Amino acid sequence: MNRRTYLTTTSATAVGLALAGCMGGDESGDDPSDENGGDAESENGDDGGNGGDRSGLVGTFDDFESIDEWEAFQDIGAIDTDSERSYDGSQSMVLAPDPEDGQVRARRSLDDPIDIRDVVPGLAMTAEDDGVVLLQLQDEDGDYVEYSQQVMSDMPLARKNFGLTRVRGEPDLSEIMVLQIIRWFGSSDDEGDDDSRMWVDDFHFVPKPNAGKVMLQFHGGYETHHSEALPRVSEYGFPATTFVPTSRIRSDVAVEGDRLTEDQVADLANDGWTIGSHSHYGTHVSNIGPDEMEENITEPIDWLEDEGYDDGARFFAFPGSQYTESAYELVQDNYDLAFAGQTQAQGYAGNPHLCSTVSNPAPGEAATILDWTATHGGITSLAFYQLEEEEAIEGLEETLEELDAHVEAGDLEVITPAEMADEYVH
């Protein structure tokens, strides 16, 4: 029985930074020095940040019930259909890598151009191995915007929220003519890579909040979130969220450990922080046995509600952004919003249970990510973990300083998980 309601509201060197090393800057096959190019004004549109859709594209664009319009571009890899697996409808498209270089490029040329200024693309996907998937949307000159998201092995075929991570040239976003799905599986020398496959379905578009939104998150319930983060965040008056492993919260400071105490959690809540769930144990769910999985996912709800943190009991962050099929299904059944995935500047959440984060931005990285979000719009959630090392604290300080400047300029807004759940889920 569901304990949470599934919300359905309608309401840079950025690639390497957002994906935390998951992909190299040259994976697109082009010069990464161009990735900050593009026409920021046409990208942002003029709707004031309310996620309008002048194009009428929001929703499913291609359900892959036929793949006649798709090709393996330049015979790089292979595409086929699979009637045994689908997100919706009777089949999905299955992609297999080229045996020479371990990649696949599925390409569709459009008869009529589409206008993507107000939307962000997404896919339902799963794969036999972990990796990063790129969506390139090109104009007639070959200039493009590129969106990225990780795919994990042996997961349900589910919608993923992609984020903008590259702009090549000066693409005309009102005249997109080509859609391309790109995946690297590894070289043919890597055992098993040449046999891997990926399934995609439901190529869709979601609205984009063109005025950039940012969430400040602190994962793991560490005591440094109270000692280091709280005074710094309070100085700027920003809302923030801590996702806590409820079984590791200490009764008082006399109990040995590096996690928050009950009184420290209360201090954060009293300062306006949202208190959410980082699971019961706070370890990667892949390390949790099946007999303990339900307790690990659902027990924090009771603890949060008993402590008076009812609003935060709606929200979950997968430890390390890692999840398993059983954990994902339990989170779907019990929470309104959950965070996993690695990208910035995503659109409205087409899947509210796999919202993206950017983890531990280091000094220099935070400014770039915030500038990118301010320029191109979308939603970026910055997730900080343990704040013991000087570099981690400097990264937080830079984030807050740069974020304050953008908020003062009016080109970024800091939001809460509740605001995202209520306003930015499609």
Side-chain angles (χ1 to χ4, degrees):
M1 175 177 170
N2 292 2
R3 301 175 62 184
R4 297 279 155 219
T5 303
Y6 186 101
L7 295 179
T8 54
T9 62
T10 55
S11 356
T13 316
V15 174
L17 301 180
L19 297 179
C22 289
M23 56 183 276
D26 61 350
E27 282 203 1
S28 302
D30 298 298
D31 183 359
S33 65
D34 292 331
E35 61 197 30
N36 286 322
D39 185 347
E41 182 176 354
S42 70
E43 171 80 13
N44 275 337
D46 57 6
D47 71 357
N50 294 321
D53 179 21
R54 291 168 286 192
S55 60
L57 283 177
V58 169
T60 298
F61 184 78
D62 195 323
D63 59 11
F64 298 101
E65 289 300 282
S66 169
I67 64 168
D68 291 345
E69 294 179 298
W70 291 85
E71 62 171 338
F73 181 58
Q74 296 181 343
D75 294 323
I76 300 174
I79 62 173
D80 203 346
T81 60
D82 187 344
S83 60
E84 300 296 320
R85 207 166 193 174
S86 65
Y87 174 80
D88 192 22
S90 65
Q91 66 179 25
S92 60
M93 183 166 71
V94 58
L95 287 68
D98 183 280
E100 294 293 326
D101 60 11
Q103 66 167 299
V104 60
R105 292 179 178 240
R107 183 182 180 101
R108 177 180 169 183
S109 298
L110 304 176
D111 295 330
D112 298 304
I114 58 174
D115 181 348
I116 65 164
R117 285 175 292 176
D118 300 323
V119 294
V120 173
L123 275 177
M125 59 184 185
T126 189
E128 291 177 332
D129 61 344
D130 298 351
V132 172
V133 179
L134 311 177
L135 300 180
Q136 282 185 1
L137 281 65
Q138 303 177 8
D139 67 11
E140 64 179 359
D141 295 324
D143 292 342
Y144 61 78
V145 283
E146 184 175 276
Y147 301 81
S148 306
Q149 188 51 272
Q150 66 178 0
V151 63
M152 294 183 62
S153 60
D154 300 322
M155 292 293 108
L157 186 59
R159 274 189 171 190
K160 298 294 180 71
N161 303 301
F162 280 69
L164 179 68
T165 48
R166 182 182 173 91
V167 178
R168 173 61 186 264
E170 297 185 359
D172 183 349
L173 302 187
S174 68
E175 295 280 328
I176 294 299
M177 297 297 300
V178 174
L179 313 177
Q180 189 162 225
I181 305 168
I182 303 173
R183 170 73 201 279
W184 269 260
F185 293 80
S187 71
S188 58
D189 294 334
D190 296 332
E191 184 178 353
D193 283 343
D194 55 348
D195 295 325
S196 295
R197 294 175 295 168
M198 185 178 79
W199 290 260
V200 300
D201 202 355
D202 184 38
F203 193 113
H204 62 274
F205 290 96
V206 296
K208 179 180 71 173
N210 292 319
K213 315 296 179 186
V214 173
M215 256 188 285
L216 292 173
Q217 301 181 359
F218 297 86
H219 293 203
Y222 292 102
E223 189 171 24
T224 54
H225 298 166
H226 183 271
S227 61
E228 303 292 346
L230 176 59
R232 290 173 169 84
V233 174
S234 295
E235 179 182 347
Y236 293 94
F238 294 141
T241 300
T242 181
F243 291 99
V244 300
T246 53
S247 71
R248 306 185 74 174
I249 299 302
R250 296 179 293 156
S251 57
D252 58 56
V253 293
V255 178
E256 185 177 354
D258 61 358
R259 307 294 169 141
L260 292 164
T261 68
E262 293 173 359
D263 287 344
Q264 289 168 345
V265 174
D267 287 345
L268 296 174
N270 290 335
D271 205 60
W273 287 41
T274 300
I275 313 300
S277 169
H278 204 231
S279 79
H280 192 44
Y281 305 116
T283 57
H284 287 191
V285 294
S286 59
N287 296 327
I288 304 299
D291 294 339
E292 298 176 298
M293 186 63 74
E294 184 170 1
E295 173 194 8
N296 187 53
I297 300 299
T298 64
E299 180 68 23
I301 297 172
D302 293 332
W303 187 93
L304 292 165
E305 291 179 342
D306 289 345
E307 296 295 321
Y309 309 129
D310 299 65
D311 186 59
R314 302 167 55 197
F315 311 121
F316 186 92
F318 288 94
S321 283
Q322 302 296 306
Y323 54 95
T324 64
E325 181 172 359
S326 61
Y328 171 71
E329 291 173 350
L330 282 165
V331 167
Q332 279 187 303
D333 288 343
N334 290 280
Y335 294 88
D336 292 339
L337 206 67
F339 294 86
Q342 300 181 43
T343 193
Q344 77 266 352
Q346 74 163 73
Y348 281 47
N351 182 346
H353 296 101
L354 292 177
C355 301
S356 276
T357 64
V358 179
S359 298
N360 288 327
E365 297 176 342
T368 302
I369 293 168
L370 292 172
D371 286 346
W372 184 265
T373 307
T375 299
H376 298 287
I379 303 169
T380 296
S381 298
L382 300 174
F384 296 87
Y385 291 81
Q386 179 65 283
L387 294 170
E388 286 186 328
E389 301 296 330
E390 182 177 346
E391 183 179 29
I393 296 172
E394 289 179 358
L396 173 61
E397 291 176 338
E398 179 187 285
T399 296
L400 295 172
E401 182 178 351
E402 294 290 333
L403 184 56
D404 186 58
H406 282 292
V407 170
E408 286 292 318
D411 53 22
L412 285 179
E413 177 187 1
V414 185
I415 63 172
T416 65
E419 289 173 306
M420 183 166 185
D422 296 339
E423 300 177 35
Y424 300 108
V425 172
H426 179 72

